[in-house]
Amino acid sequence: MLEWLALGTAVNDWFALGLLDYINPICYTAFTIIGFFYFRKMMKPGFYYVYFVGAVISLIGGFFIPTIKTLIGLGIMDWNLPVSKVIIANTGFLISGPTLFIGTMKANRADSPKTKNVTLNSLGLLAADLAFLNKFIVGFGALGMILIYITTAKLAIERKRYYAVATIAISLCGTLFESFYSNSGTDLNSPLVHWVIEIGAVITHLMLVLSAYLLFIYKDKREAKEA
């Protein structure tokens, strides 16, 4: 009887975790949509399209993961770590992170006079990223995500949007915590461990969307007067 009760509790945990985990790809979708309008104006097409492809790949993997957890919670699927779906999401970060970082450098921006070989260079970057797809993909994916944070912080500093810098810093700390915690020998088959990871991930992604809003959309009273 106790075994069945424990199993039922675990099933309910995975269902709740799956629903909570949907917040992460939804937030990253919002960040990508905001970026679609603003990064596109800033980056040359060769860099931007590679970045956008990486972002879409991340979103595909990102929506797969909570769906699997929800199906496990409903008893439709047996529990297995969604390793392949995590690899998909991190492959996207691995592609989009370095591309966004390099593409938003002043020498590579849309208003830069240097226009030759941008598409070829960015596609070469994509090929180099794909060459790293191995068992260390999660770590490299986290590095890609960190480069997205660094790039966003760099743009926020350029625009003197210091509130955005603060929210990005919180988001970066959340990502580092998730990476270290999930690779610290914890039992990733335990729902309790995933509660810690998912709560951290939700805070991380909410801060990321807030930073994009503060960076690209929000205007304080001083800026409104100057406009």
Side-chain angles (χ1 to χ4, degrees):
M1 180 66 179
L2 291 176
E3 291 180 359
W4 281 105
L5 182 61
L7 178 61
T9 302
V11 167
N12 291 332
D13 275 341
W14 288 120
F15 180 74
L17 279 165
L19 295 181
L20 178 66
D21 200 8
Y22 272 114
I23 296 175
N24 298 321
I26 290 172
C27 285
Y28 198 67
T29 299
F31 177 82
T32 303
I33 290 172
I34 294 172
F36 177 83
F37 293 103
Y38 291 93
F39 291 140
R40 184 180 63 173
K41 296 176 183 177
M42 187 180 305
M43 300 166 67
K44 293 177 181 177
F47 286 106
Y48 173 75
Y49 290 123
V50 175
Y51 157 74
F52 191 71
V53 167
V56 170
I57 292 173
S58 294
L59 288 173
I60 292 171
F63 276 104
F64 266 130
I65 295 169
T67 300
I68 289 172
K69 289 180 180 178
T70 304
L71 293 175
I72 291 168
L74 292 172
I76 297 174
M77 293 179 63
D78 294 328
W79 163 248
N80 275 304
L81 280 172
V83 176
S84 61
K85 309 308 180 291
V86 172
I87 287 176
I88 292 173
N90 281 282
T91 297
F93 292 135
L94 181 61
I95 295 170
S96 58
T99 308
L100 183 64
F101 180 76
I102 296 172
T104 55
M105 289 181 175
K106 290 185 178 180
N108 296 324
R109 293 187 186 177
D111 56 357
S112 170
K114 296 180 180 179
T115 58
K116 295 181 180 180
N117 299 323
V118 172
T119 303
L120 291 177
N121 289 339
S122 57
L123 290 176
L125 177 64
L126 172 59
D129 285 336
L130 294 176
F132 283 104
L133 299 183
N134 54 36
K135 64 181 180 180
F136 299 110
I137 186 73
V138 174
F140 285 117
L143 177 60
M145 193 66 190
I146 289 170
L147 285 174
I148 292 173
Y149 294 144
I150 291 173
T151 303
T152 309
K154 176 186 66 175
L155 296 175
I157 292 171
E158 286 179 5
R159 296 186 174 199
K160 298 181 180 180
R161 299 291 180 87
Y162 298 116
Y163 289 121
V165 176
T167 54
I168 293 163
I170 295 172
S171 192
L172 174 59
C173 289
T175 295
L176 293 174
F177 168 77
E178 294 168 51
S179 181
F180 287 129
Y181 183 73
S182 60
N183 290 284
S184 63
T186 53
D187 181 10
L188 293 177
N189 292 311
S190 168
L192 180 60
V193 170
H194 281 268
W195 275 114
V196 176
I197 293 172
E198 294 308 333
I199 290 173
V202 167
I203 294 172
T204 294
H205 284 83
L206 287 173
M207 289 296 103
L208 181 63
V209 173
L210 179 58
S211 67
Y213 170 77
L214 292 172
L215 173 58
F216 293 118
I217 299 174
Y218 173 77
K219 290 187 177 181
D220 59 26
K221 293 180 180 179
R222 176 181 57 81
E223 290 177 319
K225 288 180 179 179
E226 290 176 356

